[in-house]
Amino acid sequence: MSTTTIAPQALTAKDFATDQEVRWCPGCGDYSILKQVQTIMPGLNIPRENIVIISGIGCSSRFPYYMNTYGMHSIHGRATAIASGLKASRPELSIWVVTGDGDGLSIGGNHTIHLLRRNFDLNIMLFNNQIYGLTKGQYSPTSEENKVTKSTPMGSIDHPFNPLALALGADATFIARSMDRDPKHLQEMLKRSHAHKGASFLEIYQNCNIFNDGAFEIFTEKGTRPTETVMLEQGQPLIFGAQKDKGIRLDGLKPVVVTLGEQYSASDLWIHDEKDFYKAQLLTRIFDDPRIEGHLPRPFGVFYQTSRPTYEEGMSRQIEDAIAKRGPGDLDKLLAGNETWTIR
């Protein structure tokens, strides 16, 4: 009797979309991010049942409803903690954390930095719109100083977080930045995040067209983008400008903008190296206010990546060693401890 083996059908982006109505404000940048995630998922060749999307609270946190995978819409700021527990218990899963600048850097800031230092092998997508959108427009940890909102009518006096500098300070093993209005670049950064073995931290500039419209317009619009952004490519010089006639070179440890021509050529410029921890620190600090004369262009791409053992690997080895030395253990005996009393 012969048997026929039916090969699994290749998945498409539509297979990752649910039947739920996508409910974000018309024009929200979240639509683009969702589209790019659904687009790259089939190429990862991971069964949908092995993919988990975990979110906290915020507009971005509706993401699990719109992905035809497993997922959890968890509690405010705790998506990273829940994802850490799941990865520790089910290391074979592909886990994606969806969070925002409020959810992940305010109430959830502590959980975020500890996930990064522990280096769980999962992916954090931080949607940064520099505002609290779901709760109707309060300032967030990434809002600029003097930001006038409903909660800061006289302007915020807080100094904003620099998310990538924070992640690097927490010893993240992969940090990158992209934007909602550059689909191809965002897709590439999502693929790079997934390919990294360890915790990946991808900051995505996302426009909130209701409460903070145009926050990143200078980096996304055709008229200003060439002179206000520099795209990071491994082994390539930092060149930018509408005519690709500008570049960044290092004057000692100080990045400076130069014009390419008679005095400087591409060989004089800063060559990007994703493995260089010290230069990565300088790159994350290129965070100038574009309204200030003489500012540097904002970098986008992979700032830094390195290899370090993951938390779940270390935990697994520790458990195996303990079993080898002490046996499989007895839960009742463990709970009873060394000091027990018998009541008569």
Side-chain angles (χ1 to χ4, degrees):
M1 181 177 179
S2 63
T3 59
T4 302
T5 301
I6 300 176
Q9 187 174 3
L11 297 174
T12 67
K14 289 183 179 180
D15 292 315
F16 286 90
T18 69
D19 60 359
Q20 298 297 300
E21 179 187 358
V22 181
R23 299 188 66 182
W24 286 310
C25 300
C28 175
D30 288 357
Y31 284 97
S32 174
I33 302 172
L34 175 64
K35 174 64 175 177
Q36 309 326 316
V37 172
Q38 291 172 339
T39 298
I40 64 102
M41 280 292 174
L44 303 183
N45 296 317
I46 304 172
R48 285 179 296 176
E49 61 269 23
N50 286 346
I51 300 172
V52 186
I53 312 291
I54 298 177
S55 65
I57 295 296
C59 293
S60 64
S61 296
R62 293 173 176 161
F63 219 85
Y65 296 108
Y66 310 140
M67 291 292 298
N68 194 13
T69 65
Y70 281 105
M72 178 184 289
H73 188 174
S74 71
I75 55 180
H76 202 184
R78 272 64 181 181
T80 42
I82 292 169
S84 297
L86 180 59
K87 189 65 179 182
S89 60
R90 294 288 304 277
E92 76 279 9
L93 297 178
S94 176
I95 301 175
W96 299 73
V97 175
V98 177
T99 187
D101 44 304
D103 182 66
L105 296 179
S106 185
I107 191 172
N110 192 48
H111 294 297
T112 298
I113 61 174
H114 290 299
L115 184 153
L116 293 174
R117 74 174 177 88
R118 288 171 176 147
N119 199 37
F120 282 95
D121 183 20
L122 50 76
N123 314 288
I124 299 176
M125 295 185 290
L126 186 135
F127 298 13
N128 182 6
N129 55 25
Q130 296 186 341
I131 204 76
Y132 277 98
L134 184 67
T135 51
K136 307 301 185 285
Q138 299 87 356
Y139 80 109
S140 85
T142 58
S143 296
E144 66 274 19
E145 292 183 30
N146 302 314
K147 180 72 172 179
V148 176
T149 72
K150 294 177 181 179
S151 59
T152 52
M154 297 181 66
S156 168
I157 58 175
D158 283 12
H159 182 73
F161 262 141
N162 178 335
L164 294 192
L166 179 73
L168 192 62
D171 282 337
T173 55
F174 179 98
I175 61 172
R177 178 188 291 140
S178 190
M179 61 185 91
D180 57 3
R181 297 188 181 182
D182 190 340
K184 290 185 178 180
H185 187 263
L186 179 53
Q187 288 180 27
E188 180 61 26
M189 292 302 100
L190 291 167
K191 293 175 185 176
R192 290 288 306 274
S193 296
H194 171 261
H196 176 70
K197 179 71 171 178
S200 68
F201 185 87
L202 174 61
E203 178 189 19
I204 306 171
Y205 282 179
Q206 175 257 324
N207 189 51
C208 176
N209 58 313
I210 302 300
F211 297 108
N212 203 25
D213 192 25
F216 304 115
E217 188 174 47
I218 197 168
F219 306 124
T220 61
E221 295 304 304
K222 291 182 179 180
T224 54
R225 177 175 173 173
T227 57
E228 296 295 341
T229 65
V230 57
M231 309 308 287
L232 304 175
E233 297 181 49
Q234 175 66 9
Q236 297 300 313
L238 270 59
I239 294 177
F240 67 102
Q243 307 301 322
K244 298 295 182 182
D245 57 347
K246 301 288 185 182
I248 300 177
R249 66 183 295 270
L250 285 174
D251 183 5
L253 294 176
K254 182 180 179 181
V256 294
V257 174
V258 298
T259 300
L260 301 180
E262 295 182 2
Q263 186 175 2
Y264 297 106
S265 66
S267 60
D268 297 308
L269 301 180
W270 179 344
I271 305 299
H272 182 49
D273 181 2
E274 298 170 355
K275 300 290 186 181
D276 193 322
F277 176 74
Y278 299 102
K279 285 186 177 179
Q281 293 187 70
L282 296 178
L283 275 176
T284 62
R285 291 297 177 180
I286 299 180
F287 201 63
D288 299 353
D289 185 338
R291 297 169 297 183
I292 298 176
E293 186 177 353
H295 64 273
L296 294 166
R298 190 72 55 91
F300 290 84
V302 177
F303 286 60
Y304 179 68
Q305 69 165 339
T306 189
S307 297
R308 195 170 79 236
T310 64
Y311 186 94
E312 63 271 20
E313 289 173 334
M315 187 182 72
S316 178
R317 285 194 298 269
Q318 194 174 65
I319 292 173
E320 290 173 0
D321 290 344
I323 292 174
K325 293 176 182 177
R326 304 179 183 181
D330 185 322
L331 180 59
D332 291 336
K333 185 178 179 180
L334 177 65
L335 293 175
N338 296 323
E339 297 180 3
T340 59
W341 292 268
T342 301
I343 301 175
R344 298 181 185 278

